[in-house]
Amino acid sequence: MGATRDRERHLCHRCGEVSPTVRDRGRINLMSRLCETCWNVFANEMAEADGATAAPRPEPDPDDVSWFEPPVCPKCGALVRIYPTNYDRWVSLATVELPAKDVPEPFRWRLTRLPDPSRLTTDIVAVRVRGVDPLPSEPVVPAHHMMCAPD
């Protein structure tokens, strides 16, 4: 009985293979139990569909005391906010929130604090608004490429 339960812990839900790289994936409400290969395929498909194709933010040097500026879009020169998604990819978001009625459905994001046992916010992730449509006046964060107006 114990051997069966242990096998299920290392069984990928997508490919069905048993692997030591199988673990619960996703940052919020664990999306699935996948191996590393299947997770990368799944997360890349999600990122492509959502437009979450930004490069990750560089890790700041803890000894560097210089001013930290937000990144600038190379196309339009506007400031952008780059956040990790709940599936470990990165997305460029606008610096303003807008009412949901002003943002087309594919570009709606929300910033969510990750739950932490210490009740301190340790990280914020971007989550695509899906399933239930927000109220028209509810604030959402648009994806930057929706607002990008190249010169």
Side-chain angles (χ1 to χ4, degrees):
M1 185 76 154
T4 304
R5 221 177 287 132
D6 186 49
R7 183 183 186 284
E8 289 172 6
R9 257 194 359 217
H10 296 292
L11 181 69
C12 178
H13 288 175
R14 192 169 188 171
C15 68
E17 295 293 320
V18 176
S19 168
T21 65
V22 173
R23 66 180 175 87
D24 290 326
R25 305 292 178 150
R27 299 179 123 194
I28 300 174
N29 296 335
L30 303 176
M31 299 172 95
S32 190
R33 184 178 299 264
L34 299 171
C35 66
E36 190 71 28
T37 303
C38 290
W39 170 249
N40 283 326
V41 170
F42 174 74
N44 290 339
E45 288 171 356
M46 291 277 296
E48 189 68 33
D50 291 346
T53 56
R57 291 185 305 223
E59 285 295 321
D61 181 7
D63 296 329
D64 186 9
V65 294
S66 61
W67 189 255
F68 190 74
E69 292 288 331
V72 176
C73 175
K75 294 179 185 173
C76 68
L79 296 176
V80 294
R81 297 187 293 180
I82 298 176
Y83 283 99
T85 64
N86 55 326
Y87 46 88
D88 296 329
R89 298 303 183 262
W90 296 79
V91 63
S92 296
L93 300 177
T95 56
V96 297
E97 288 186 340
L98 295 174
K101 67 180 179 182
D102 296 337
V103 180
E105 187 179 331
F107 303 107
R108 296 177 185 163
W109 291 81
R110 283 204 178 100
L111 298 177
T112 304
R113 292 183 170 97
L114 283 180
D116 190 272
S118 68
R119 296 194 300 189
L120 296 174
T121 302
T122 56
D123 204 2
I124 296 176
V125 295
V127 179
R128 252 297 300 290
V129 177
R130 299 175 200 247
V132 178
D133 286 336
L135 296 172
S137 61
E138 205 171 334
V140 294
V141 181
H144 172 72
H145 65 271
M146 180 199 102
M147 301 181 74
C148 188
D151 292 336

